[in-house]
Amino acid sequence: MDEGMSGFCIRAASVGGNSSSTGTKCGRWNPTAEQVKLLTDLFRSGLRTPSTDQIQKISTQLSFYGKIESKNVFYWFQNHKARERQKRRKVSFDEKDIMIRRDSAKISYTQNFAEVNHVSEPERVIETLQLFPLNSFGEAESEKQKLRVHANDQYRGNTMFSCTMGEQMEHPPLDLRLSFA
Amino acid sequence: MDEGMSGFCIRAASVGGNSSSTGTKCGRWNPTAEQVKLLTDLFRSGLRTPSTDQIQKISTQLSFYGKIESKNVFYWFQNHKARERQKRRKVSFDEKDIMIRRDSAKISYTQNFAEVNHVSEPERVIETLQLFPLNSFGEAESEKQKLRVHANDQYRGNTMFSCTMGEQMEHPPLDLRLSFA
DNA sequence: AGGTTATGAATGAAAG
DNA sequence: CTTTCATTCATAACCT
């Protein structure tokens, strides 16, 4: 019934007067060239997952160039690292694919040429890339129910949470009654 | 899934057919709006670490709205809890940053101010749980153990990253020295 | 303008 | 519990 909105955003308003660099419209962080350069340099220096303290310091420094929050720094590294990895993975995938097609008899998936990463960065962090197992495919049903949720139920009290969905009562209310000794 | 940081988005999911936006074939759980609402309500009510029994009940209830497994519920609470905390942490950092920024005219963020770490006590939200009939929330116990000081913030390593901007040196170089005991 | 790309943000899943 | 990884969503910036 309320399918109308596919995705809307609420912004923390009062962002007027931003103009960090080129008169951005607020909404989401848009790094300046200087900020990107600094972040990239740090990344190239080997920084991958800065600690909270480091994020804080970086954020503080970058705030000199424009509005920025520590979460932006956090996300930036997260994304940059992930995307580099992703890129590399794709490349190696292609190469392996080709190789497999080449000699489709021996199947020696050695990626001795793994350093063929022309990923626009002579970085120095070794990212071990994995070979994908070719034997376990139809595994969709197995449902590896590990669920180590019962890590610490000890005194798990007799709490009762209940919750209803308000308007649309198309189902019984959710009652979570726990039995107690 | 609300409380965006600077701008958050709410994605509406289909009530009847799930398959929100991109993929019905996705390998990972994609909660519907109703499922999220229920989970959020429970969270808001103070539920943090549901027991196995609770997880089971919640999962069963939520399955009314779409495919779901127990582990999804488990993970949801784990993630939601962790991220609320993480977010709070980052925000407080930013606020601190702003305060410092205001106070100092020239600002030379040496890593000294990192010691200003009595960031109040942002944790622990619920105290309104008491309006529930029973007071021995399994969670209340867990919360108590959280009173311990965040002693494990970052002992990641004593690496030192530094970076300068090259041409325009209008700011102190960025030195990220981690405090070593 | 409308499609495409780059990337900020979010989050499910899992590892540690 | 904390931290990291992967995948996806959303949108500013960029084409054509």
Side-chain angles (χ1 to χ4, degrees):
Chain A
M1 50 187 71
D2 50 0
E3 310 315 308
M5 48 187 186
S6 57
F8 62 92
C9 290
I10 303 174
R11 39 206 55 175
S14 73
V15 195
N18 182 9
S19 68
S20 303
S21 56
T22 55
T24 48
K25 296 295 193 301
C26 78
R28 80 178 191 189
W29 173 58
N30 197 27
T32 66
E34 294 78 23
Q35 289 174 330
V36 172
K37 190 196 182 308
L38 253 166
L39 289 168
T40 301
D41 281 348
L42 288 172
F43 189 88
R44 289 176 60 91
S45 296
L47 221 204
R48 288 294 179 276
T49 45
S51 67
T52 304
D53 285 339
Q54 288 175 305
I55 288 177
Q56 189 187 177
K57 291 186 178 71
I58 296 170
S59 176
T60 299
Q61 279 294 324
L62 293 187
S63 69
F64 175 83
Y65 298 109
K67 183 172 174 295
I68 190 174
E69 294 172 63
S70 47
K71 67 160 189 176
N72 302 132
V73 176
F74 169 76
Y75 280 134
W76 190 91
F77 277 95
Q78 207 72 43
N79 282 321
H80 205 72
K81 177 172 56 174
R83 276 162 183 151
E84 171 140 307
R85 186 183 296 133
Q86 173 184 98
K87 186 162 47 180
R88 182 177 328 195
R89 193 181 316 149
K90 190 165 187 60
V91 170
S92 66
F93 179 81
D94 291 340
E95 289 176 351
K96 263 184 299 194
D97 189 42
I98 294 173
M99 180 173 169
I100 292 173
R101 292 185 194 288
R102 279 282 190 71
D103 39 52
S104 57
K106 311 169 65 174
I107 321 175
S108 67
Y109 306 115
T110 50
Q111 82 287 30
N112 297 330
F113 45 90
E115 63 276 359
V116 192
N117 47 358
H118 42 276
V119 278
S120 74
E121 188 192 350
E123 47 125 2
R124 41 151 234 186
V125 177
I126 301 90
E127 201 82 67
T128 59
L129 72 102
Q130 312 271 15
L131 295 179
F132 46 93
L134 297 177
N135 51 358
S136 60
F137 264 81
E139 245 267 89
E141 296 304 311
S142 290
E143 205 40 79
K144 36 195 177 262
Q145 182 76 341
K146 289 195 295 186
L147 255 193
R148 70 283 200 195
V149 283
H150 32 315
N152 59 344
D153 355 52
Q154 193 83 330
Y155 38 76
R156 207 57 71 153
N158 31 21
T159 318
M160 192 272 265
F161 288 102
S162 67
C163 180
T164 58
M165 281 299 287
E167 313 84 12
Q168 41 188 102
M169 280 295 267
E170 328 180 50
H171 73 303
L174 177 56
D175 293 323
L176 304 170
R177 276 180 287 271
L178 298 182
S179 58
F180 47 91
Chain B
M1 57 86 79
D2 49 20
E3 60 271 12
M5 305 185 188
S6 57
F8 63 91
C9 298
I10 300 176
R11 183 183 82 254
S14 323
V15 178
N18 193 358
S19 70
S20 56
S21 346
T22 54
T24 322
K25 58 176 177 186
C26 52
R28 82 180 195 186
W29 173 56
N30 197 23
T32 66
E34 291 76 24
Q35 289 174 332
V36 172
K37 189 196 180 307
L38 253 167
L39 289 168
T40 301
D41 282 348
L42 288 171
F43 189 88
R44 292 254 114 102
S45 297
L47 219 205
R48 289 293 180 280
T49 312
S51 65
T52 304
D53 290 334
Q54 289 175 305
I55 287 177
Q56 191 56 53
K57 290 188 176 64
I58 295 171
S59 177
T60 299
Q61 280 294 322
L62 293 187
S63 68
F64 176 83
Y65 298 110
K67 186 170 174 297
I68 192 175
E69 296 172 59
S70 300
K71 71 171 185 179
N72 301 134
V73 176
F74 168 73
Y75 282 136
W76 191 91
F77 276 95
Q78 200 166 245
N79 281 320
H80 202 71
K81 178 169 52 176
R83 278 167 180 145
E84 179 138 298
R85 175 177 298 164
Q86 167 191 114
K87 178 163 48 183
R88 222 171 270 263
R89 198 180 323 167
K90 290 191 195 310
V91 167
S92 68
F93 276 150
D94 288 337
E95 288 173 351
K96 201 165 51 180
D97 189 43
I98 292 174
M99 274 177 53
I100 293 174
R101 174 173 295 285
R102 283 185 44 201
D103 292 340
S104 54
K106 182 178 144 307
I107 319 169
S108 179
Y109 308 104
T110 50
Q111 61 281 26
N112 285 11
F113 78 101
E115 183 55 358
V116 195
N117 246 343
H118 45 79
V119 200
S120 73
E121 222 273 17
E123 295 301 338
R124 190 164 5 280
V125 261
I126 30 65
E127 217 62 67
T128 51
L129 301 181
Q130 297 305 83
L131 86 176
F132 282 84
L134 301 173
N135 63 348
S136 67
F137 273 68
E139 232 305 297
E141 289 301 315
S142 297
E143 290 285 21
K144 246 181 276 180
Q145 85 173 12
K146 249 181 349 190
L147 283 176
R148 56 134 166 80
V149 188
H150 284 274
N152 68 335
D153 228 334
Q154 132 292 316
Y155 32 74
R156 202 168 302 272
N158 308 13
T159 322
M160 192 270 264
F161 291 101
S162 67
C163 179
T164 56
M165 279 302 287
E167 50 283 318
Q168 47 181 105
M169 280 293 271
E170 336 180 42
H171 73 300
L174 178 54
D175 292 325
L176 303 172
R177 275 180 287 269
L178 299 184
S179 58
F180 40 86

